[in-house]
Amino acid sequence: MKLYDAPWAPSPRRVRIFLAEKGIEVPREAIDLRSGEQLGDAYLLINPRGAVPALELDDGEVLCESAAICRYFEALHPEPSLLGTTAIEIGRIESWTRRIEGDGYAAVVYVLRNTVPAFKDRAIPDAGLSIAQIPELAERGAQMWDGFTRALDRRLEDREWIAGGGYSFADITALVTIDFARAAKLTVPERLVHLGRWHAEASARPSAQA
Amino acid sequence: MKLYDAPWAPSPRRVRIFLAEKGIEVPREAIDLRSGEQLGDAYLLINPRGAVPALELDDGEVLCESAAICRYFEALHPEPSLLGTTAIEIGRIESWTRRIEGDGYAAVVYVLRNTVPAFKDRAIPDAGLSIAQIPELAERGAQMWDGFTRALDRRLEDREWIAGGGYSFADITALVTIDFARAAKLTVPERLVHLGRWHAEASARPSAQA
C-alpha cells in the first residue's frame, strides 16, 4: 500500500490528519506539485486526473478522493471512530462535512483557482480538461467565506467539536479548510470567538502536525 | 420522522430512490419550490438554508444534506447495502459518488444557477446569502459535462454498475444527475453507448420512479 501525498495541499493533509488520529502509518510518496509532477506521465498512470492524494493498494487498484480514502481506513480500523458509530452521529458528521466542503472549501478553491497565475487554464483540478479562470468567482468565494465562518462560529457557540460528539471528520475537514484559506488571504475574523477557540484546540492536537 | 421533499428537484429524488431501493417508507411533506416555499419563514425554521431535502427526527433534530440523510438510513437499515460493506467497496462507492458530484452534478448546477432568471442573486442555494450569477460559469459547466460523460462512459465499458459491484449510491447519484441535466439542456451524446446502456438499466429499476 502506498499513499501519494503532497506536503502543503489540503486534501492530502486531510488524509494525514485522519491517519494520525487513528495511529495508522502508511508508506507515502511525495508528489512535487510545484514542479507539476502531478501532471507528468508517471503520475498520470497512477491517477489520470492528476490529483493528490491517491491510495495505491497492494493489488494495484488506486483509490482517489480524500473522503473515499478516509472511509476506506475507517472501515479497516474503526477505532477511534472519526465518521460516527450510531446512525445519528454518522448523519451529523456527514451533514457538517458536506456543508464545510460546499460552503468553505469551495470558497477557497473559487478564490485560488480563479486568480493564481499557476492555475491558468486549470481552474478545475482535472488534468484532462483545460478550464479557463473566471476572476468573478473570487468575489463569490469571498462572500461565501464570510457566510461560512459566521455559520460555523454559531455552531460552535455551545459545543466543543463541530458535529456535537467528539473530534470527527467534520473537524478535520474544517481545520484543513481554514488553514488552506490563508493561501487565498481568507481568514477567520477575530470577532468570531467560538470559531477561534475551536481552531486553537484543533490545532493543538498532535494530528494537526501530520 | 418527516422528510421534507420536492417533486422535481435532484437532491430529494436522490433520497427517494435510496429509500425505495431499501423498501423504507417515510412520511413526506412536499415543499413547493416554484412558489418559493423553501424561502418562507415556516420552512426556514426547519432548515435555515432553505434547501430540500431535510429530515426531521422525532426529537425535533433536523438532518440536512441528501448524502447525510442517506447515510443515516443506511446505518438504520443496512440491507440491501447501497454504500458498501467491505472497506474497498465503501471506498470505491464514495470515490465515484464524489467524482459524479464534483464533475457532473456541479456542471449542471453551474449552468442552471448562473443562467436561469429564477436564480438571480441566488446562484448558491443558501437562503442566507445573496450571490450574483456569473454567466461564464455556464460555459465552464458545459465543458465539465463533456468530460464527465466521457469518463463515465469509459468506466461503464466493462462493468454493469459504476462502482463495480451491485447497484449503489454512486449509480443513484449519477442517475439523478443525468436526469436533472436535461433541465440545463445537457444530455448524454448517443455515441456514449455504455453510458446509454447503463442509463436505460438504471431507469428501468422501479426505484427510478420514486
Side-chain angles (χ1 to χ4, degrees), chain B residues 8 16 32 54 68 87 101 109 117 127 160 165 176 178:
Chain B
W8 52 270
R16 289 198 306 275
D32 184 359
E101 291 172 347
V109 170
E160 183 175 10
V176 163
I178 287 174

Side-chain angles (χ1 to χ4, degrees), chain B:
Chain B
M1 186 185 287
K2 189 201 287 185
L3 181 66
Y4 291 92
D5 192 21
W8 52 270
S11 296
R13 184 178 179 223
R14 191 189 200 190
V15 174
R16 289 198 306 275
I17 295 177
F18 193 91
L19 294 174
E21 287 284 340
K22 286 187 177 281
I24 303 170
E25 298 215 359
V26 176
R28 302 198 305 235
E29 181 173 329
I31 300 299
D32 184 359
L33 303 184
R34 286 170 213 266
S35 72
E37 188 180 359
Q38 78 279 18
L39 302 173
D41 291 346
Y43 188 70
L44 290 180
L45 286 177
I46 307 293
N47 180 3
R49 293 167 70 76
V52 279
L55 181 69
E56 189 174 58
L57 306 179
D58 291 340
D59 64 2
E61 179 167 352
V62 176
L63 206 53
C64 300
E65 300 284 340
S66 59
I69 294 170
C70 291
R71 284 199 183 279
Y72 174 78
F73 283 115
E74 176 93 352
L76 286 183
H77 304 273
E79 300 291 337
S81 167
L82 293 167
L83 287 159
T85 49
T86 67
I88 187 63
E89 283 171 4
I90 290 168
R92 284 184 197 131
I93 292 169
E94 177 75 351
S95 177
W96 276 96
T97 298
R98 293 294 188 135
R99 184 163 178 182
I100 294 159
E101 291 172 347
D103 295 356
Y105 187 77
V108 183
V109 170
Y110 279 169
V111 173
L112 276 184
R113 285 259 167 195
N114 291 284
T115 56
V116 173
F119 293 128
K120 183 175 182 293
D121 295 328
R122 293 200 299 121
I124 294 283
D126 183 336
L129 293 179
S130 171
I131 302 273
Q133 292 179 316
I134 302 175
E136 285 167 286
L137 264 182
E139 191 182 326
R140 178 184 289 188
Q143 270 185 285
M144 289 167 63
W145 183 256
D146 182 53
F148 163 68
T149 50
R150 281 188 285 118
L152 201 53
D153 184 70
R154 278 195 302 274
R155 174 70 182 173
L156 290 163
E157 192 173 2
D158 56 0
R159 42 180 73 74
E160 183 175 10
W161 301 114
I162 294 169
Y167 187 81
S168 79
F169 192 51
D171 298 291
I172 295 174
T173 305
L175 180 65
V176 163
T177 296
I178 287 174
D179 290 347
F180 174 47
R182 286 188 293 233
K185 299 190 173 59
L186 298 171
T187 55
V188 174
E190 276 191 24
R191 69 175 185 283
L192 301 182
V193 293
H194 311 297
L195 185 50
R197 183 268 307 158
W198 167 90
H199 185 259
E201 287 178 18
S203 302
R205 297 174 75 92
S207 63
Q209 307 305 318

